[in-house]
Amino acid sequence: SGFELIDHRGRIIAQSNDSLQSDADQSDWPEIRTALAGKVGFHIRSDASLGGNAYFVAVPAGDYTSVPFALRISASLSAVDSSFQHVRNVLFVALLFTSIVSLLISLKLARYLTRPLEKITSVAADFAKGDFDRRIHIRSGSEFDLLANTLNNLAANLAAKMQESLTEQRKLELILEHM
């Protein structure tokens, strides 16, 4: 951090930090060009003397009709960069954590929804083989309950119709035997 007073040719004529080179031409820096044009200039760039990124502000100094000088103030952004890095790391960890939690909730929800379907599918396969004695027992409080009850009623009705049909067949067989 520091300040410099820069003349209209871009030379540093006064500074708060002796480590800066006073003979280096400063007129090419965007903030100096803007300040020498009579406006406030801002610029962020890497600066080795400030240890990384730095923020530069230059303001016109002197009489405002011919702006013979610019006053530049610089400040290191290392604390801001460090804070930004910390926030980025915290956000990354939070994103990772919420992604893992979301994945676990999704897996649990998927299992909750597929378990009743697996039971219904298993019992329906037995119904297709002619085994109408099995029943589906689901108490999920969802449409699966209605489907399970409907399939259970279907199986009971089919079993009753099959029994009726077998009884009628036996009657006919007995009648035919006694003829």
Side-chain angles (χ1 to χ4, degrees):
S1 294
F3 74 90
E4 299 101 22
L5 187 60
I6 300 166
D7 70 10
H8 66 284
R9 291 188 301 269
R11 289 184 309 211
I12 298 173
I13 56 176
Q15 61 188 7
S16 64
N17 187 346
D18 289 334
S19 67
L20 297 175
Q21 295 179 355
S22 60
D23 58 346
D25 184 11
Q26 303 293 309
S27 62
D28 287 337
W29 294 114
E31 72 277 5
I32 298 301
R33 278 194 313 263
T34 305
L36 291 175
K39 299 178 185 164
V40 177
F42 306 93
H43 195 241
I44 296 175
R45 65 177 172 271
S46 182
D47 188 284
S49 66
L50 293 174
N53 284 336
Y55 187 64
F56 296 89
V57 178
V59 295
D63 94 23
Y64 290 99
T65 58
S66 63
V67 189
F69 300 104
L71 177 63
R72 177 171 59 192
I73 300 171
S74 59
S76 172
L77 293 177
S78 62
V80 173
D81 289 342
S82 174
S83 294
F84 177 75
Q85 182 71 24
H86 177 72
V87 168
R88 193 173 78 188
N89 290 343
V90 167
L91 288 176
F92 177 75
V93 169
L95 177 66
L96 184 64
F97 176 75
T98 55
S99 296
I100 291 170
V101 168
S102 297
L103 179 66
L104 292 174
I105 289 171
S106 297
L107 291 173
K108 186 78 170 169
L109 183 61
R111 186 70 183 139
Y112 174 77
L113 293 175
T114 58
R115 189 173 293 140
L117 284 175
E118 289 170 353
K119 287 181 182 178
I120 290 170
T121 303
S122 172
V123 174
D126 289 342
F127 291 169
K129 293 176 190 170
D131 180 8
F132 299 109
D133 294 331
R134 286 195 61 197
R135 293 294 178 261
I136 305 167
H137 303 286
I138 297 174
R139 299 288 178 255
S140 66
S142 68
E143 290 80 11
F144 293 125
D145 293 352
L146 178 62
L147 180 60
N149 288 335
T150 302
L151 287 174
N152 287 338
N153 290 337
L154 174 70
N157 290 340
L158 281 173
K161 294 292 181 192
M162 295 278 292
Q163 188 60 42
E164 252 181 64
S165 179
L166 286 174
T167 303
E168 289 299 317
Q169 183 182 358
R170 283 191 194 131
K171 283 183 190 177
L172 287 176
E173 287 173 357
L174 285 176
I175 291 172
L176 288 175
E177 273 182 27
H178 291 330
M179 284 181 127

